[in-house]
Amino acid sequence: MSSGQKKLFGRERPLRDVLGGGKVADIVLWRDKRLSAAILIAVTVAWLLFEVMEYNLLPLLCHISIAAMLLVFIWSNGAALLDLTPPKIPELILSEQAFRKGALLFHSYLNHSLSILHGIAGGNDLRLFLLTLVSLWIVSAIGSCCSSINLLFFVLLCALTLPALYERYEREVDHAAAMGIDGLQQLFKKVNSKVLEKIPRGPAKAKKSN
């Protein structure tokens, strides 16, 4: 394949830059394999608990608290007998700085998403505007057919797998997408020439002169 091969969606920048180039991009593209795997496992466990085992949020929080308290109780009382270091709970809690970074990151991505939607809604690119409306309608239709937990799990699963797979097999996917788009364009030309152009049209009405 030539180096001038078209990229998927006509992008020109590397995939990491398209995804923001920050920590989120590293997680989605599995640059930090431990963190990405931990998030994927946590999302899968949450889906199993809430959807498969039909756990409710409040009982789950209570059971987690009970298990944590029992673990700390056994650890604290057994530390003296087994000559171990007792747990230091304040060091296990996330710091205020970590919460601030998370909030700032969420705020940044939320503002970026809203600015993108605002730019699309401005009507500068009618094709992108219509494509966005159709995509949102499709997501709404899918969401009405399944539970929010299943939809959220599916979205997170796709976000944690598809970009990394695409980056690994980028050239093959771009090549297949280009061939598919060319095939659709050829099909549209045939339909247009053999069907649409043969539909009889009435005579054009002359414009009234003042």
Side-chain angles (χ1 to χ4, degrees):
M1 286 176 286
S2 61
S3 58
Q5 178 180 324
K6 292 182 180 179
K7 300 291 185 180
L8 192 63
F9 304 117
R11 64 181 181 85
E12 298 179 356
R13 297 183 299 167
L15 184 59
R16 186 176 184 274
D17 293 341
V18 174
L19 295 175
K23 189 68 175 179
V24 175
D26 292 337
I27 293 174
V28 171
L29 296 176
W30 287 70
R31 303 290 172 85
D32 189 345
K33 290 183 171 58
R34 290 185 178 179
L35 183 57
S36 300
I39 294 176
L40 182 59
I41 293 172
V43 170
T44 305
V45 170
W47 175 76
L48 290 173
L49 288 174
F50 289 115
E51 189 63 25
V52 179
M53 300 178 65
E54 297 183 352
Y55 245 108
N56 292 322
L57 180 61
L58 186 58
L60 178 62
L61 293 177
C62 292
H63 292 167
I64 292 176
S65 300
I66 291 172
M69 292 180 67
L70 288 175
L71 178 62
V72 173
F73 176 81
I74 296 172
W75 189 355
S76 300
N77 289 275
L81 298 176
L82 301 176
D83 196 19
L84 299 175
T85 303
K88 298 180 180 179
I89 301 302
E91 294 183 2
L92 301 178
I93 301 175
L94 291 176
S95 64
E96 182 180 355
Q97 185 179 5
F99 278 105
R100 285 184 178 180
K101 287 183 178 180
L104 290 175
L105 184 64
F106 174 77
H107 179 265
S108 174
Y109 276 93
L110 179 61
N111 278 346
H112 183 62
S113 301
L114 292 177
S115 65
I116 292 176
L117 291 177
H118 181 267
I120 294 174
N124 297 326
D125 190 341
L126 182 59
R127 181 181 177 184
L128 182 59
F129 175 72
L130 295 177
L131 180 61
T132 305
L133 290 182
V134 172
S135 301
L136 291 175
W137 181 81
I138 292 174
V139 172
S140 174
I142 295 174
S144 62
C145 298
C146 61
S147 65
S148 299
I149 296 177
N150 282 333
L151 182 60
L152 180 60
F153 172 72
F154 177 74
V155 171
L156 292 175
L157 183 63
C158 291
L160 288 171
T161 54
L162 294 183
L165 291 174
Y166 171 67
E167 186 183 42
R168 185 173 182 178
Y169 303 103
E170 180 177 353
R171 304 188 71 181
E172 292 84 352
V173 173
D174 289 341
H175 180 65
M179 292 181 62
I181 293 173
D182 291 339
L184 290 176
Q185 289 177 347
Q186 295 297 327
L187 178 62
F188 177 76
K189 288 180 180 179
K190 290 181 180 179
V191 173
N192 186 47
S193 61
K194 294 182 178 181
V195 179
L196 298 180
E197 291 182 353
K198 294 182 178 180
I199 297 176
R201 294 177 175 83
K205 294 182 179 180
K207 296 183 179 179
K208 295 181 179 180
S209 59
N210 295 329

